[in-house]
Amino acid sequence: MGVSLLGVADGGKKLRWDAFDVYRVSAGGEIMTQAGAFTPPWIRRSEGHMGESPHSIPTAPGRLPLVGHLPGLSRDLLGFITALREAAEHGLVRVYVGTTPMYVVTAYEPADDILAARTHALGVGRMFRQLGPLIGDSLATLEGPAHLRRRLIHPPFRAGEIPGYAGAITRLARDLSGSFKPREPVRVDRALYRLTLTATAEALFSVGLAGPVVAEVDRSLPVVTNGVALRAFLPRGFERLPLPLNRRYDLAVRRLRHAIQSAIDQHRAASPTSRNLLSALQENRDPDSGEGLTDGQIRDEIITIMLAGTDTPASVLSWTLYELARHPEVEHRLHAELDTVLAGRPAEISDVARLPYTGQVLTEANRLYSALLLMRATATPTTLAGERLPPGTDILLSPYVIHRDPRFFDDRFDPGRWEPGRAHHIPRKAYLPFGAGPHKCIGDALAWAELVIVLATLCSRWRLRLAPGHPVTAVPSVVPRPDNLLMIPEPRT
């Protein structure tokens, strides 16, 4: 009986999954597909044994010959990652993708060491390498001195610039709230995805150019975000196999890059007078050298901003509404704050600092539903917990697990834990909503303003109830997202 990439093959039959078209792996390590047999590069005969060298970092249970932990990862990625905390020692555990080890960080102490103290020894990990064909040489993938590009990109994201983009967010949130009809079910996850996508596109381009970009990103970005989260745990070389999954992914990448480049070209030809992020990126110059971004660099940064500014805020907002529907006492306190501050009007940028409990609600939702993985790779020989790691070793930090550390957090949805009188016992670095170190999210201030404005605008007017008979599950992605979040709006007045 062969071993499948995603489980145990049933008598040699092909296994089909929604996200994959996967074929069996023979005992000799060949992948059998419709295109023929392949011996993938991650199968190294000399490393096929199950012996364990006496290292200080433990190996997660469930490792199998040749495929390592792939069966467990494929059956339940979220469950597998969450369970790694129990197998870890001092916040570190080893997993195997095929015969290649990866090191997963499940506690904030080693995470802080890796993200801050060891930046000189670490580069980006395989998730961003998998995104390379899409985002090119953007800020997210740059390493070492090249990361100085950050100061060319940062100015339009400074706090003083945020009000210039917030007007579109307020308008879109108001329009979405106005589109709800009492007791008519709404796919809230889809509606919020469309809102954050449109808000990001309008911040980047003029309103007229945003439409075609929104249409293509709406079609192709989910293929990329779903695919990259799964590819991160598949062995090197998998993306080169002639499988339908890879063809869909590659096609989505080509479509996205073409749509963004077309919008950039049209923007330049139109010479719009309105201020937007694209104009700022085209105009900014390094204060020392006087150099600006090349056209290719601008394209890559725009694509990265679209990727980061769409999926994650939509997921956080969706999960926040989901948790509010399950915790009426939290919802009641949120409504009280909104009634006092907004008095029934849509939220604006000036309200963000005046809604502290709204911020606590979002902080708690972002804690529970944060990035599944932040990936780094050793750029030089590195010692981690007494173990010598060669260059190119992948290190995976999981905010999703770190934010569930029982030393600091219980399993409840409890926004009150972020009140000043209670939050002091939570180490500052135990909460990583926007990452840390040189690859920290550059648009965190804009993202936070968007979260507060949208949530406040919707909840000041509506109570959103979970539709009966429609269970909600978490789908693994860059940030786990709710699948089919159907909710019923009820007017508050």
Side-chain angles (χ1 to χ4, degrees):
M1 182 174 67
V3 179
S4 168
L5 278 174
L6 295 182
V8 179
D10 182 11
K13 295 180 180 178
K14 171 187 168 185
L15 302 181
R16 281 195 64 93
W17 296 67
D18 288 342
F20 284 98
D21 292 274
V22 177
Y23 301 76
R24 71 179 178 87
V25 181
S26 72
E30 287 187 321
I31 294 181
M32 309 304 295
T33 77
Q34 289 178 336
F38 297 85
T39 301
W42 63 84
I43 299 297
R44 297 195 293 270
R45 308 298 181 194
S46 61
E47 300 179 9
H49 60 81
M50 294 297 291
E52 190 65 54
S53 57
H55 295 310
S56 58
I57 300 176
T59 296
R63 180 187 174 198
L64 297 175
L66 295 181
V67 294
H69 292 96
L70 282 172
L73 286 164
S74 64
R75 281 193 298 267
D76 180 8
L77 179 58
L78 284 175
F80 182 91
I81 294 297
T82 303
L84 289 177
R85 184 193 302 113
E86 300 301 321
E89 291 183 9
H90 306 294
L92 293 165
V93 62
R94 182 193 296 106
V95 299
Y96 281 86
V97 174
T99 58
T100 302
M102 305 171 74
Y103 297 83
V104 182
V105 179
T106 64
Y108 89 89
E109 293 93 342
D112 178 55
D113 180 39
I114 290 166
L115 289 173
R118 295 177 182 261
T119 55
H120 64 286
L122 298 172
V124 296
R126 68 165 63 193
M127 181 175 285
F128 284 111
R129 290 198 298 269
Q130 293 285 3
L131 280 171
L134 175 62
I135 63 178
D137 294 325
S138 73
L139 188 63
T141 61
L142 293 180
E143 302 169 356
H147 213 72
L148 295 175
R149 190 190 301 176
R150 189 179 185 92
R151 63 183 180 183
L152 273 176
I153 300 168
H154 183 254
F157 291 99
R158 290 173 181 156
E161 301 293 328
I162 303 303
Y165 315 124
I169 297 171
T170 296
R171 169 174 51 80
L172 292 167
R174 183 183 63 239
D175 291 347
L176 177 59
S177 178
S179 71
F180 291 169
K181 295 180 174 55
R183 288 165 288 280
E184 184 174 306
V186 177
R187 271 287 304 274
V188 168
D189 54 321
R190 284 294 306 153
L192 289 170
Y193 180 87
R194 189 80 178 184
L195 184 153
T196 58
L197 167 56
T198 305
T200 304
E202 290 191 9
L204 286 166
F205 309 103
S206 65
V207 175
L209 292 177
V213 173
V214 167
E216 187 53 63
V217 174
D218 191 31
R219 174 171 67 164
S220 297
L221 187 58
V223 178
V224 173
T225 54
N226 292 342
V228 75
L230 294 166
R231 280 181 170 205
F233 280 108
L234 290 172
R236 291 185 178 95
F238 179 88
E239 68 275 8
R240 295 194 296 271
L241 298 178
L243 302 177
L245 164 70
N246 291 331
R247 288 194 290 269
R248 289 192 295 269
Y249 184 91
D250 294 341
L251 178 60
V253 166
R254 289 195 297 272
R255 285 174 170 167
L256 283 170
R257 289 181 69 84
H258 176 75
I260 298 296
Q261 186 62 60
S262 294
I264 293 172
D265 293 342
Q266 293 177 53
H267 180 275
R268 180 179 287 107
S271 300
T273 57
S274 60
R275 185 71 173 169
N276 53 42
L277 282 170
L278 177 55
S279 297
L281 293 178
Q282 290 173 332
E283 296 168 5
N284 284 348
R285 295 291 181 269
D286 184 275
D288 296 331
S289 67
E291 295 181 357
L293 296 171
T294 67
D295 288 351
Q297 289 170 341
I298 290 172
R299 180 199 60 227
D300 293 344
E301 298 301 344
I302 292 294
I303 295 173
T304 303
I305 293 167
M306 288 296 305
L307 183 67
T310 297
D311 208 47
T312 297
S315 294
V316 172
L317 285 166
S318 297
W319 285 122
T320 303
L321 293 173
Y322 168 80
E323 292 291 354
L324 286 172
R326 298 171 67 236
H327 296 85
E329 73 285 357
V330 175
E331 183 186 55
H332 177 77
R333 184 175 171 185
L334 174 69
H335 287 161
E337 177 177 85
L338 297 178
D339 291 346
T340 299
V341 175
L342 301 182
R345 63 174 173 81
E348 300 174 351
I349 187 64
S350 59
D351 298 313
V352 171
R354 302 169 60 216
L355 296 168
Y357 189 69
T358 304
Q360 292 172 27
V361 170
L362 286 163
T363 298
E364 181 69 349
N366 207 2
R367 176 186 75 84
L368 284 171
Y369 304 102
S370 50
L372 185 59
L373 295 167
L374 302 175
M375 291 192 170
R376 300 292 184 264
T378 55
T380 62
T382 303
T383 300
L384 186 65
E387 183 161 339
R388 192 70 168 170
L389 307 182
T393 302
D394 284 300
I395 301 174
L396 288 65
L397 302 95
S398 178
Y400 189 85
V401 176
I402 294 170
H403 293 170
R404 287 168 166 76
D405 192 325
R407 294 178 296 168
F408 315 115
F409 308 109
D410 54 34
D411 291 333
R412 296 178 302 142
F413 178 74
D414 179 17
R417 77 172 79 249
W418 301 104
E419 294 174 355
R422 293 178 58 192
H424 63 86
H425 78 283
I426 302 173
R428 179 177 59 86
K429 295 178 180 179
Y431 178 58
L432 304 166
F434 298 102
H439 288 277
K440 182 177 182 290
C441 175
I442 200 168
D444 53 353
L446 178 57
W448 183 253
E450 179 179 46
L451 293 175
V452 174
I453 289 171
V454 174
L455 182 68
T457 298
L458 296 180
C459 291
S460 65
R461 181 174 176 182
W462 301 98
R463 289 185 178 89
L464 289 156
R465 298 287 175 253
L466 295 171
H470 287 80
V472 179
T473 58
V475 177
S477 188
V478 177
V479 172
R481 57 180 175 80
D483 181 34
N484 192 20
L485 181 57
L486 192 67
M487 304 192 79
I488 301 173
E490 295 180 357
R492 291 192 54 222
T493 56

